[in-house]
């Protein structure tokens, strides 16, 4: 009996069965690992008056292909289960079950916002809310890389990228997921014009770097296509189909194009 | 009264006798074991496979429950019939399967209560009857909740049937809460052995809408045979269910026919043969 | 002070077997402005008269869309209705999340019925002072439910609650047989006429004081207010049926 009062010094005192609360038991051992990686890649680019999000539709477990069509792009807000009239898109890549849970949480929050305030949430507010949702699971994170796209209050394309615990930033472009390390440098070069110099100016030390300009929508779409067809060639977890969502002031256009299934 | 405030108001042993601490956790002097969660499955079922066809879905799983490599129970039915629109095929831990089965039973009772159907015929034709998609969403939430509690149900499920609009529906959920759907699905070993065969027949959604019932059933039976040939934790007796607009046709005592082990002696590369 | 000795709380019966607090709550419903609901085979319609408490204030909200497939109309304490509608919104979202299906109207109605009933059976609680009409379309077709502070809920073909709603109910009873096969437009007209019948002589339906909620099979619940309803008001009261006073109405005044 672990009693606080030992009999020796308390001979004249009555004894009690209850001890003071002692320290907690040792941490429990778990062999169950609650995460998996479902592969795939996503990318987002924002333009002058639009934002594009894209993702392949393959879902993998190790070397297996679970399915050739599992979208990673989700409309957020709007009305009903089909998110009619929504102008915000969330892309998630990583652990698909967490991605789905995250999407449903954000969607519910955005729908409740509209119910309570009688107006649509702004992308900026939605982006910050998403950050808080992710951080609220800081010690058991949603194992996903999220990208949120929409149109900001000035009518410009808005794109926000996240890490799994909610650190976020507004950017021009971002690639995430399995092939992010293949796609991101390509985007740096083609969207932000990194390592590109004005050929008409003198070359050599201090040569004039090209200044990034907002890109046209067809141009961005072709960049997305090139990024994914190339990623498919080099990464086994990327393929099957390319889903794109283009957000403009008029709403969301959705496209699907097949990718190589090998 | 003594000088230990934490003892004030506590029962005194000389008055009430010693407290029996046996129910307390060990850290508090008890003999209670810590709460344990499944860390690995014990008695397990192997693959479940399914194909969508034009008007419905075929699903199959064998009747074996293994204890490690021991073929322990040979008459375990792993296809669970929910209502006239859906069947759940369960792989993985058998006790967790039985828990899920109880969950399904209580859900079924709740459903029939809330929809207010009074007769068997009424509930059969209830327009608000749960579709297989509703059941799948529910089960995937159960699975995800349990994994998030670090207390997973160690299963891989296939939910096959018709959705609310009576279109064929097939999707899976596993112990992590991961879900996906496709025209053909297989869990466990089936993902390696049966899925390629099925995908050859039904490469995409369009192909499954062309596939007839008989072809789909035949494809699934062929796959069960391949699985029995190659999966050491399988058996030749299996259950097969077809779900279409006519309802669920579940057979639980099917036996593999026309087995041919001719291929076996041509296998080279491992074992005892020297050539 | 009290009307009698048995109305201090809602847990005590009077010797006649009445619970006065609940009955008073029912009176609160009658203080609210009138709302009307009708269903046909294909549609469910809500119509409501909005009051403005004073000239300077805005008009109250009488119809609240809850989910894409249904909405509610309220008569009585608006703040109590908001509590209930928040609860209904949560339940509706959770049905969509857990089962991926729109909640059945019978289901959500009995859930708020159960909630209201518990308020009538525990000391220190107060019954909801609001009546609701719940209208929309679910897997079993169009429905209209009535909810009362007592926790009583019932399915209706047509219903009116709120101040002077007896006149509206009289209209509905008289036209009961025509509802089932009514088209969407006819149903809306019936609802507006029923609403009109319960107005006092000096009052009229205008684009400012009328709300309409319409849902149908394959038509999500939508709230119509302001100029959206002007054409309905015009067509409804242009060719008014015989037997009603026929002074032409200035709709947009």
């Amino acid at each position: 009996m672990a009693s606080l009062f030992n009999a020796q010094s308390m001979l004249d005192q009555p004894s009690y069965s209850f001890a003071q609360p002692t320290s907690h038991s040792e941490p429990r051992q778990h062999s169950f690992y609650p995460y998996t990686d479902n592969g795939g890649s996503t990318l987002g680019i924002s333009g002058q008056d639009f934002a594009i999000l894209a993702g392949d539709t393959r879902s993998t477990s190790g070397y297996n292909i679970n399915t050739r069509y599992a979208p990673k792009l989700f409309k957020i807000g709007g009305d009903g289960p089909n998110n009619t009239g929504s102008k915000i898109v969330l892309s998630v890549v990583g652990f698909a079950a967490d991605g789905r849970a995250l999407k449903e949480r954000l969607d519910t929050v955005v729908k409740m916002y509209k119910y309570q305030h009688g107006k649509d949430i702004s992308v900026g507010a939605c982006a910050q809310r998403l950050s808080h949702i992710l951080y609220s699971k800081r010690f058991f994170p949603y194992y996903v890389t999220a990208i949120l796209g929409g149109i900001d209050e000035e009518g410009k394309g808005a794109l926000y990228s996240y890490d799994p615990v909610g650190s976020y930033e507004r950017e021009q472009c971002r690639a995430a997921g399995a092939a992010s390390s293949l796609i991101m440098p390509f985007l740096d070069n083609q969207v932000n014009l990194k390592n590109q110099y004005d050929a008409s100016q003198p070359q050599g030390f201090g040569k004039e770097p090209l200044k990034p300009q907002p890109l046209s929508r067809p141009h961005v779409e072709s960049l997305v296509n090139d990024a994914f067809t190339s990623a498919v060639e080099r990464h086994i977890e990327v393929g099957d189909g390319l889903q794109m969502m283009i957000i403009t002031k008029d709403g969301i256009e959705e496209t699907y194009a097949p990718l190589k299934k090998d | 009264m003594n000088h230990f405030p934490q003892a004030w108001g506590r029962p005194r042993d000389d008055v009430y006798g010693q407290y029996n601490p046996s129910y307390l956790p060990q850290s508090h002097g008890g003999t209670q074991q810590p709460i344990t969660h499944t860390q690995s499955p014990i008695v397990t079922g192997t693959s479940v496979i399914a194909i969508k066809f034009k008007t419905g879905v075929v699903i199959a799983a064998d009747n074996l429950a293994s204890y490690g490599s021991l073929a322990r129970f040979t008459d375990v039915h792993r296809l669970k019939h929910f209502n006239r629109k859906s069947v759940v095929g369960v792989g993985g831990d058998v006790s967790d399967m039985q828990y899920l089965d109880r969950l399904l039973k209580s859900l079924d009772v709740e459903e029939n209560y809330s929809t207010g159907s009074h007769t068997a015929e009424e509930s059969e034709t209830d327009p608000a009857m749960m579709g297989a998609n509703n059941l799948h969403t529910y089960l995937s939430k159960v699975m995800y909740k349990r994994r998030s509690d670090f207390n997973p149900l160690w299963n891989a499920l296939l939910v096959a049937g018709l959705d609310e609009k009576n279109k064929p529906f097939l999707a899976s959920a596993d112990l992590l809460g991961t879900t996906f759907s496709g025209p053909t699905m297989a869990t466990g070993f089936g993902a390696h052995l049966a899925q390629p065969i099925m995908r050859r027949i039904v490469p995409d959604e369009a192909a499954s809408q062309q596939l007839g019932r008989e072809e789909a059933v035949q494809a699934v039976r062929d796959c069960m045979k391949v699985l029995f040939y190659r999966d050491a934790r399988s058996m030749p007796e299996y259950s097969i269910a077809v779900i279409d607009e006519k309802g669920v046709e579940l057979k639980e005592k099917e036996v593999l026919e026309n087995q041919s082990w001719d291929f076996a002696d041509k296998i080279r590369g491992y074992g005892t043969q020297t050539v | 002070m009290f009307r009698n000795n048995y109305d201090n709380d809602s847990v005590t019966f009077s010797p006649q077997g009445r619970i006065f607090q609940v009955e008073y709550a029912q009176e609160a419903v009658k203080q609210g402005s009138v709302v009307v609901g009708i269903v046909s085979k294909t549609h469910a319609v809500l119509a409501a008269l909005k009051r403005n408490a004073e000239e300077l204030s805005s008009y109250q909200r009488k119809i609240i869309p809850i989910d894409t497939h249904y909405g509610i109309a309220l008569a009585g304490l608006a703040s109590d209705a908001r509590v209930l509608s928040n609860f209904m919104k949560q339940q509706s979202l959770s049905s969509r999340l857990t089962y991926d299906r729109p909640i059945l109207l019978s289901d959500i109605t009995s859930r708020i019925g159960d909630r209201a009933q518990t308020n009538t059976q525990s000391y220190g609680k107060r019954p909801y002072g609001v009546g609701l009409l719940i209208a929309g379309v679910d897997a079993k077709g169009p429905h209209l439910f009535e909810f009362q502070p007592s926790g009583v809920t019932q399915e209706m073909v047509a219903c009116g609650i709120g101040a002077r709603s007896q006149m509206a109910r009289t209209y509905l009873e008289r036209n009961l047989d025509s509802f089932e096969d009514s088209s969407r437009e006819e149903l809306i007209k019936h609802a507006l006429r029923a609403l009109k019948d319960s107005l006092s002589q000096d009052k009229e339906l205008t684009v400012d004081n009328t709300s309409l909620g319409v849902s149908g099979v394959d038509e999500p619940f939508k709230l119509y207010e302001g100029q959206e309803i002007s054409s309905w008001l015009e067509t409804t009261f242009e060719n008014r049926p015989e037997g009603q006073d026929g002074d032409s109405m200035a709709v947009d005044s």
Side-chain angles (χ1 to χ4, degrees):
Chain A
M1 263 307 302
S3 180
L4 175 72
F5 314 104
N6 77 54
Q8 232 44 22
S9 62
M10 298 282 169
L11 276 177
D12 51 335
Q13 297 275 338
S15 56
Y16 298 86
S17 293
F18 288 96
Q20 246 188 332
T22 53
S23 62
H24 294 287
S25 51
E26 315 84 80
R28 215 180 287 141
Q29 292 262 308
H30 286 292
S31 62
F32 170 64
Y33 187 67
Y35 295 114
T36 188
D37 182 1
N38 296 108
S41 245
T42 57
L43 95 84
I45 301 176
S46 71
Q48 190 55 246
D49 56 354
F50 66 91
I52 290 190
L53 275 109
D56 68 319
T57 63
R58 178 176 288 181
S59 163
T60 63
S61 293
Y63 289 133
N64 288 327
I65 296 174
N66 294 327
T67 176
R68 299 192 190 280
Y69 188 73
K72 294 189 228 330
L73 267 41
F74 304 102
K75 294 177 184 173
I76 296 296
D79 292 321
N82 302 316
N83 306 87
T84 321
S86 147
K87 282 182 188 170
I88 296 176
V89 174
L90 172 71
S91 75
V92 278
V93 64
F95 175 35
D98 272 353
R100 185 168 193 83
L102 179 65
K103 163 244 161 181
E104 285 180 354
R105 245 179 105 173
L106 187 67
D107 188 45
T108 309
V109 162
V110 169
K111 281 174 172 158
M112 281 310 285
Y113 182 101
K114 178 155 187 202
Y115 173 75
Q116 281 163 346
H117 296 83
K119 63 176 184 188
D120 288 324
I121 199 171
S122 69
V123 248
C126 183
Q128 191 165 92
R129 194 67 173 82
L130 177 56
S131 168
H132 287 143
I133 291 173
L134 287 164
Y135 193 80
S136 71
K137 273 174 65 74
R138 170 62 181 78
F139 299 108
F140 182 25
Y142 287 120
Y143 220 132
V144 291
T145 320
I147 304 175
L148 191 78
I151 302 290
D152 71 10
E153 278 145 325
E154 293 168 14
K156 296 196 174 84
L159 194 73
Y160 295 86
S161 66
Y162 297 78
D163 79 350
V165 289
S167 153
Y168 79 116
E169 176 179 26
R170 186 168 174 180
E171 293 184 293
Q172 288 307 307
C173 66
R174 171 58 65 185
S180 60
S181 55
L182 278 64
I183 299 174
M184 200 60 220
F186 169 73
L187 259 32
D188 284 337
N189 182 248
Q190 291 295 308
V191 179
N192 291 323
L193 305 185
K194 292 285 159 64
N195 301 93
Q196 295 207 63
Y197 299 93
D198 193 342
S200 63
Q201 297 297 116
Q203 303 296 298
F205 181 75
K207 58 189 171 177
E208 201 58 40
L210 284 182
K211 297 230 162 37
Q213 303 292 331
L215 304 174
S216 73
R217 197 178 131 178
H219 187 176
V220 172
E221 282 180 41
S222 71
L223 283 181
V224 171
N225 268 306
D226 291 349
F228 273 94
T229 40
S230 309
V232 167
E233 294 294 328
R234 287 289 186 174
H235 203 115
I236 55 165
E237 291 176 0
V238 181
D240 292 333
L242 173 59
Q243 188 191 22
M244 255 198 261
M245 287 197 184
I246 303 116
I247 311 118
T248 65
K249 65 174 173 28
D250 304 316
I252 300 170
E253 284 173 55
E254 194 178 340
T255 67
Y256 172 84
L259 289 172
K260 284 167 81 170
K261 295 192 198 303
D262 60 1
Chain B
M1 187 74 80
N2 56 35
H3 301 287
F4 298 103
Q6 66 271 33
W8 298 346
R10 300 266 194 203
R12 282 166 51 168
D13 287 356
D14 58 342
V15 178
Y16 296 98
Q18 264 214 344
Y19 189 76
N20 176 2
S22 59
Y23 79 96
L24 289 167
Q26 283 171 322
S27 56
H28 293 259
T31 51
Q32 176 86 37
Q33 295 300 307
I35 298 166
T36 54
H37 293 154
T38 312
Q39 301 298 321
S40 60
I42 312 293
V43 179
T44 58
T46 182
S47 330
V48 186
I49 60 170
I51 300 187
K52 268 204 283 195
F53 60 92
K54 208 187 302 176
T55 56
V57 193
V58 202
I59 182 169
D62 70 22
N63 294 350
L64 182 67
S66 310
Y67 179 70
S69 57
L70 174 71
R72 182 65 183 81
F73 305 103
T74 54
D75 192 20
V76 175
H77 301 149
R78 297 194 290 125
L79 298 188
K80 302 295 178 189
H81 160 220
F82 179 64
N83 55 22
R84 62 185 299 277
K85 280 187 170 186
S86 28
V87 168
V88 185
V90 191
D93 193 277
V94 168
S95 63
D96 285 349
M97 171 182 84
Q98 289 166 344
Y99 168 77
L100 280 168
D101 193 31
R102 290 201 295 279
L103 211 62
L104 290 180
K105 288 277 179 300
S106 71
L107 181 64
D108 191 36
V109 170
E110 231 174 85
E111 276 298 300
N112 286 311
Y113 176 69
S114 73
T115 56
S117 309
H118 301 293
T119 63
E121 301 89 77
E122 242 187 309
S123 63
E124 283 292 281
T125 55
D126 179 11
M129 181 191 288
M130 256 189 149
N133 59 326
N134 303 128
L135 183 64
H136 172 256
T137 308
Y138 171 73
L139 285 172
S140 70
K141 304 285 146 142
V142 171
M143 300 301 276
Y144 184 72
K145 173 75 172 57
R146 291 291 294 259
R147 87 99 216 188
S148 299
D149 293 344
F150 275 88
N151 187 195
L153 293 168
W154 215 284
N155 299 109
L157 314 172
L158 291 189
V159 184
L162 304 178
D163 67 12
E164 298 148 310
K165 296 186 178 112
N166 285 330
K167 293 269 173 306
F169 176 89
L170 174 58
S172 77
D174 67 10
L175 72 164
L176 293 170
T178 327
T179 58
F180 29 84
S181 64
T184 63
M185 307 237 64
T187 71
F189 239 97
H192 298 94
L193 295 177
Q195 189 67 294
I197 301 171
M198 295 192 290
R199 280 191 182 151
R200 226 175 141 105
I201 302 165
V202 186
D204 51 25
E205 204 60 51
S208 85
Q209 279 161 23
Q210 298 298 312
L211 190 71
R213 178 182 165 133
E214 298 312 314
E215 290 101 299
V217 170
Q218 196 49 51
V220 166
R221 287 189 194 277
D222 291 347
C223 287
M224 289 309 287
K225 198 189 291 180
V226 171
L227 281 170
F228 177 58
Y229 285 153
R230 285 291 183 172
D231 180 357
R233 308 283 173 265
S234 68
M235 72 178 296
E237 194 176 291
Y238 63 99
S239 308
I240 186 165
V242 185
I243 309 99
D244 61 11
E245 268 163 9
K246 285 183 287 242
V248 175
E249 190 194 336
L250 174 60
K251 291 183 234 167
E252 294 179 317
K253 278 240 175 305
E254 298 297 286
V255 179
L256 288 179
E257 283 162 1
N258 305 113
Q259 286 181 47
S260 163
W261 290 86
D262 289 351
F263 71 93
D265 65 347
K266 294 183 195 69
I267 295 170
R268 291 288 179 273
Y270 48 78
T272 51
Q273 78 280 356
T274 46
V275 185
Chain C
M1 272 317 229
F2 300 114
R3 210 164 76 172
N4 59 57
N5 287 324
Y6 296 97
D7 66 353
N8 275 313
D9 54 64
S10 59
V11 298
T12 313
F13 277 106
S14 81
Q16 286 75 39
R18 297 161 64 180
I19 298 170
F20 284 103
Q21 280 299 322
V22 173
E23 291 182 22
Y24 299 163
Q26 240 113 321
E27 290 301 312
V29 178
K30 294 180 192 159
Q31 307 276 328
S33 65
V34 62
V35 293
V36 166
I38 317 179
V39 272
S40 71
K41 255 190 266 177
T42 54
H43 288 84
V45 170
L46 292 173
L49 176 70
K50 296 183 287 184
R51 274 200 296 231
N52 51 346
E54 46 180 308
E55 278 304 304
L56 298 174
S57 75
S58 60
Y59 287 85
Q60 53 185 159
R61 236 151 67 96
K62 293 290 284 181
I63 298 181
I64 308 175
I66 305 286
D67 203 341
T68 45
H69 65 297
Y70 79 101
I72 58 172
L74 57 108
L77 293 183
S79 43
D80 281 14
R82 213 167 55 235
V83 170
L84 283 170
S85 92
N86 287 346
F87 172 74
M88 292 166 87
K89 178 81 182 175
Q90 278 172 12
Q91 294 289 309
S92 305
L93 281 173
S94 110
S95 167
R96 293 219 118 106
L97 284 181
T98 12
Y99 297 104
D100 187 23
R101 64 173 175 188
I103 196 163
L104 290 180
L105 265 68
S106 54
D107 222 347
I108 189 70
T109 308
S110 64
R111 282 186 209 186
I112 57 168
D114 291 351
R115 250 172 97 94
Q117 196 279 338
T118 56
N119 285 349
T120 68
Q121 214 180 11
S122 50
Y123 191 82
K125 286 195 171 167
R126 154 175 90 70
Y128 289 111
V130 72
L132 301 179
L133 296 182
I134 300 130
V137 179
D138 62 22
K140 294 171 160 186
H143 294 283
L144 171 68
F145 285 91
E146 183 198 1
F147 161 85
Q148 294 175 342
S150 55
V152 168
T153 60
Q154 43 197 350
E155 174 145 29
M156 310 293 277
V157 174
C159 186
I161 54 172
R164 301 166 58 89
S165 58
Q166 183 53 52
M167 309 286 276
R169 281 200 297 277
T170 307
Y171 175 91
L172 295 172
E173 278 162 24
R174 230 182 263 146
N175 294 279
L176 181 61
D177 297 333
S178 58
F179 295 150
E180 186 172 339
D181 294 312
S182 284
S183 70
R184 177 178 187 269
E185 299 306 309
E186 283 166 354
L187 209 63
I188 291 171
K189 284 181 185 173
H190 278 305
L192 289 173
R193 287 201 195 106
L195 201 64
K196 168 75 172 77
D197 273 12
S198 70
L199 295 187
S200 55
Q201 286 297 322
D202 57 332
K203 275 224 189 124
E204 281 172 350
L205 290 182
T206 69
V207 289
D208 293 320
N209 70 10
T210 313
S211 277
L212 261 178
V214 183
S215 63
V217 178
D218 300 323
E219 180 188 347
F221 185 91
K222 189 169 181 318
L223 174 61
Y224 296 92
E225 282 181 319
Q227 287 307 319
E228 295 168 308
I229 59 170
S230 64
S231 64
W232 279 316
L233 287 176
E234 273 163 38
T235 53
T236 307
F237 300 113
E238 211 169 44
N239 313 312
R240 48 189 41 231
E242 282 133 280
Q244 303 199 1
D245 50 341
D247 54 336
S248 64
M249 295 185 45
V251 166
D252 289 329
S253 62

